[in-house]
Amino acid sequence: AALKKDFGDTLARDSGLDLWRSPSLGMVSQPGEDERDFRIRLMQNAREARDERVALLREDYAKRLAREQDDVVRAQAALDREKQQASSSRWSAIAGVGASLLGALFGGKKKLTSTNIRRVATAGNAINKSMGQSSDVERAEAKLATEQDEVASLEAELAAKIATIESTLDPLSEKLEKITIKPLKKNITVTAVGLAWVPVQVVA
């Protein structure tokens, strides 16, 4: 009985099953599987897990990127409208000033009338207005640049997260945890203990 107890205590204290565990995948090696074989087995699971995580990440960013790209399209359309309006207004104003000046200079006896003077002033105001529309173009350009920066920033953020996933799920470089499963005394049953005699040859 004493030998049975001592043997059970020795098993509980000194024996155990050493296994490898992957922190990133949560997988544990099989009994008797060495580190090299375990890493090879991890590679396939890592590829599948990596593809799944990247797909979910891209799906999450797709909606955000779509919204930002729509904003870019709208900002580009607004800029095109402002450029067209500014160009049309500028040429109309220049033409108006030219016509008013010609009328004032070569309009015969009425060339210095108050009406001609008002026309020149009105044409000058049109030029000032066209200059204001140039400021609208600059604001539209700034808005477009901002929206484009937002898209670029979001794409860079997505690329960085994908790179993090790929570097994290790398079984070849990952530091594995070594765990030891110890038997419990209550689960150890010694069914028999015996003595074995080994003959020893004594050489004189």
Side-chain angles (χ1 to χ4, degrees):
L3 288 175
K4 283 185 177 182
K5 181 178 183 304
D6 289 344
F7 184 52
D9 291 345
T10 300
L11 290 176
R13 182 181 64 252
D14 298 336
S15 64
L17 178 63
D18 292 332
L19 300 174
W20 297 102
R21 180 181 180 277
S22 167
S24 63
L25 295 173
M27 294 178 59
V28 179
S29 64
Q30 299 294 329
E33 186 178 28
D34 61 19
E35 181 180 353
R36 176 181 174 277
D37 292 338
F38 181 49
R39 287 186 183 274
I40 292 174
R41 188 162 62 89
L42 285 174
M43 290 180 64
Q44 177 63 33
N45 295 80
R47 281 194 294 268
E48 295 174 356
R50 184 165 54 239
D51 292 344
E52 182 179 355
R53 293 186 188 181
V54 169
L56 291 174
L57 187 63
R58 288 187 183 279
E59 183 180 352
D60 178 55
Y61 272 77
K63 296 179 181 178
R64 299 166 60 184
L65 279 169
R67 288 195 297 267
E68 293 296 342
Q69 288 166 350
D70 286 343
D71 291 341
V72 169
V73 171
R74 285 193 290 269
Q76 182 65 61
L79 174 60
D80 292 341
R81 286 195 303 270
E82 292 295 344
K83 283 184 175 180
Q84 184 177 5
Q85 291 174 0
S87 178
S88 299
S89 177
R90 187 178 299 110
W91 285 111
S92 296
I94 292 173
V97 168
S100 299
L101 287 175
L102 289 175
L105 295 174
F106 304 105
K109 296 181 179 180
K110 298 181 178 180
K111 61 182 179 181
L112 297 178
T113 62
S114 59
T115 300
N116 285 334
I117 294 174
R118 282 196 302 271
R119 287 177 179 174
V120 173
T122 301
N125 292 334
I127 290 181
N128 291 333
K129 183 178 179 181
S130 70
M131 296 299 293
Q133 288 179 331
S134 296
S135 299
D136 294 338
V137 171
E138 293 176 357
R139 284 191 291 270
E141 288 175 339
K143 176 65 174 176
L144 176 59
T146 299
E147 299 297 345
Q148 289 173 334
D149 289 343
E150 289 289 339
V151 172
S153 176
L154 205 56
E155 289 176 341
E157 182 180 322
L158 173 60
K161 289 188 176 181
I162 290 176
T164 299
I165 291 175
E166 292 177 345
S167 63
T168 301
L169 297 177
D170 184 5
L172 296 180
S173 61
E174 181 183 22
K175 184 177 181 180
L176 300 179
E177 298 176 351
K178 190 173 184 179
I179 59 178
T180 300
I181 301 176
K182 303 287 289 184
L184 301 176
K185 285 185 179 181
K186 66 179 181 179
N187 293 332
I188 297 175
T189 302
V190 181
T191 58
V193 173
L195 296 177
W197 294 91
V198 180
V200 177
Q201 184 178 3
V202 178
V203 178

